[in-house]
Amino acid sequence: MITVKNLHKSFGKIEVLRGIDYHVKKGEKIVIIGPSGSGKSTFLRCMNLLEEPTSGEIWFDGKLITDPKANINKVREHMGMVFQNFNLFNNLTIIDNITLAPTKLKLMEKEEARQNAENLLKRVNLLEKANAYPSQLSGGQRQRIAIVRSLAMNPKVMLFDEPTSALDPEMVGEVLDVMKELADDGMTMVVVTHEMGFAREVGSKVLFVDEGTIMEENTPKEFFENPSNPRLKEFLSKVL
Amino acid sequence: MNEWFADIAFKFQLAFVEGDRWKLYLKGLGVTLQISLFAAILGVVIGTIVALMKLSVKKGGKRTFISVLAQAYIDIIRGTPSVLQLLIMWFIIMEGCKNGILVAVLTFGINSGAYVAEIMRAGILAVDHGQMEAGRSLGLSKSQTMRYIILPQAIKNVLPPIGNEFIVLLKETAIVGYVSLSDLTRTASQVSSRTFEAFMPLIGAAVIYFIIIKILSKLIELLERRLRKGDHR
């Protein structure tokens, strides 16, 4: 589904990603963990080119998307992204947040998009908030809406960039539940998170990223029970 | 006391009533409002375009040619007196144009555009960068996100300073007398030189400006309240 080849990314003189190779298969749930500043978010943001790689290749669905001629807007229609800070459109109501992209990109008629949005809102139990504005919702509600907004595009992959890091502890659960449901539905997911419980329960693979490289990759069971990399051992001893 | 009232009444009569002079003020006010309105519209259009031009960057983060162009326009307009711009427009650039109001509208529109551009730029930059990222991540293009997400929020941000700019613009049109247009200010000064009585015409004109601007600021306030209905802060 997504293939990353020898990905490098520098911000000025600082080299954040130092050669990452990875392949995400259809239906996999990849969980990326690592200390802050390790490059894990940058890695994720490179996948839909929100960060432009300095060098390396990214293939999505058989197409080379790092090709300068690739239509990146078209590619992003099929890759949902959920942000740490939700980033709901503050000037639009919830329903308009969800229907804006499908209608403006002419993927759906207004009525169809509305119906689709209402169905999605029902799934996360937020239909009664359809005409509210983002500022009227709690953090957990906003993040569920943000997930729904991405789903409205019928993406093939969902990227999550620390989706629960900006939430109050009691709201983390409701967002993780939606993500788990999504995982059970077979969605391909790449999740950067600090939620070790989620990684263990939902992940099909867990990656440890540090110093701009993938230091360890394993199934959740092996990853948490038999970590081999010394830096990962140290990291896990701090967070678990 | 009676004498004082009689004097005031006489001056009022002289300044406004005699020879139907009130009609002159009304006409002058019409000129002032006409110039201000169209210049304000032109200024907002130019300002928004110039702000977007100035914000454009190349892939490496370098400024584009149109960004440099926008900066040059802002520098030139802000670096010269508006009276001079009006005279240059009237006597040089549009020499021979008989329509003074058109010249004034263009001058003030171009002038105001430079200030509006900086206001709009600040308003756009004040919108959280995550809004653009969210729009782009959904497959919307940069300009679509700008149009549906960023600009609506930016306009809400900039209403107070834009209102300020409109007020400044309206008052600045008082210099059109330099190119012999009879706006409100020039009318007042013409009447006073006809009647040899300055108090009533000048104070009268000042009161009219005051009332118009009070109404304008009230309208802006109403608009601001309407646009803010989305946030509950």
Side-chain angles (χ1 to χ4, degrees), chain A:
Chain A
M1 181 73 66
I2 303 176
T3 307
V4 178
K5 286 181 186 164
N6 198 20
L7 175 66
H8 286 260
K9 172 70 185 174
S10 302
F11 293 104
K13 287 201 174 98
I14 303 155
E15 197 176 18
V16 180
L17 299 180
R18 307 169 182 206
I20 287 192
D21 293 273
Y22 200 72
H23 180 67
V24 181
K25 293 192 204 80
K26 191 169 187 291
E28 272 188 326
K29 294 100 187 61
I30 307 299
V31 181
I32 303 172
I33 65 170
S36 60
S38 59
K40 56 191 191 306
S41 276
T42 307
F43 174 34
L44 187 79
R45 288 161 57 86
C46 278
M47 288 186 193
N48 67 352
L49 301 192
L50 275 185
E51 299 295 348
E52 207 181 325
T54 309
S55 69
E57 288 181 356
I58 296 168
W59 294 76
F60 173 65
D61 225 11
K63 284 192 278 289
L64 179 63
I65 63 171
T66 42
D67 185 339
K69 277 175 288 194
N71 181 349
I72 187 58
N73 293 332
K74 210 79 205 148
V75 172
R76 287 188 183 131
E77 286 178 11
H78 305 289
M79 287 176 135
M81 176 124 186
V82 175
F83 300 86
Q84 183 175 351
N85 296 316
F86 331 127
N87 293 341
L88 293 181
F89 303 135
N90 296 323
N91 58 320
L92 301 177
T93 59
I94 297 310
I95 194 91
D96 289 342
N97 258 277
I98 302 170
T99 56
L100 179 81
T103 50
K104 294 299 173 199
L105 295 169
K106 301 196 166 52
L107 304 175
M108 287 181 200
E109 292 299 320
K110 265 211 164 86
E111 196 37 52
E112 188 192 358
R114 192 176 179 84
Q115 198 56 54
N116 184 36
E118 282 176 1
N119 290 339
L120 285 164
L121 281 174
K122 258 181 231 159
R123 256 177 75 181
V124 294
N125 290 321
L126 285 171
L127 185 58
E128 80 276 10
K129 299 290 185 191
N131 294 312
Y133 282 90
S135 56
Q136 294 166 293
L137 305 186
S138 72
Q141 290 173 330
R142 285 189 221 183
Q143 195 60 301
R144 278 143 69 200
I145 299 293
I147 294 172
V148 161
R149 178 175 68 177
S150 289
L151 289 178
M153 296 291 290
N154 296 319
K156 293 174 182 165
V157 178
M158 286 284 285
L159 310 175
F160 293 84
D161 189 4
E162 302 198 29
T164 57
S165 296
L167 294 176
D168 290 341
E170 79 263 29
M171 293 171 181
V172 171
E174 61 189 75
V175 172
L176 290 181
D177 286 345
V178 173
M179 290 168 65
K180 278 175 202 161
E181 219 175 282
L182 202 56
D184 290 341
D185 287 351
M187 176 64 75
T188 310
M189 294 162 72
V190 183
V191 185
V192 171
T193 187
H194 293 291
E195 293 294 325
M196 299 304 154
F198 178 85
R200 202 182 295 230
E201 192 182 334
V202 178
S204 37
K205 286 275 171 58
V206 185
L207 310 187
F208 178 63
V209 172
D210 195 14
E211 294 177 343
T213 55
I214 297 175
M215 294 220 166
E216 182 142 345
E217 180 219 340
N218 221 325
T219 57
K221 195 171 153 51
E222 283 297 301
F223 186 93
F224 288 106
E225 283 167 18
N226 294 310
S228 59
N229 185 291
R231 292 198 58 107
L232 173 58
K233 279 183 196 164
E234 191 196 331
F235 179 75
L236 288 178
S237 74
K238 277 184 200 152
V239 295
L240 289 181

Side-chain angles (χ1 to χ4, degrees), chain B residues 88-133:
Chain B
I88 290 171
M89 197 67 138
W90 179 247
F91 287 112
I92 302 171
I93 298 174
M94 297 185 69
E95 190 208 348
C97 176
K98 295 281 177 287
N99 188 343
I101 290 189
L102 178 69
V103 174
V105 165
L106 287 177
T107 307
F108 287 109
I110 292 169
N111 179 283
S112 183
Y115 296 92
V116 172
E118 288 296 81
I119 294 171
M120 287 302 286
R121 192 171 64 91
I124 291 168
L125 289 176
V127 176
D128 181 19
H129 188 59
Q131 299 281 309
M132 176 58 87
E133 288 194 338

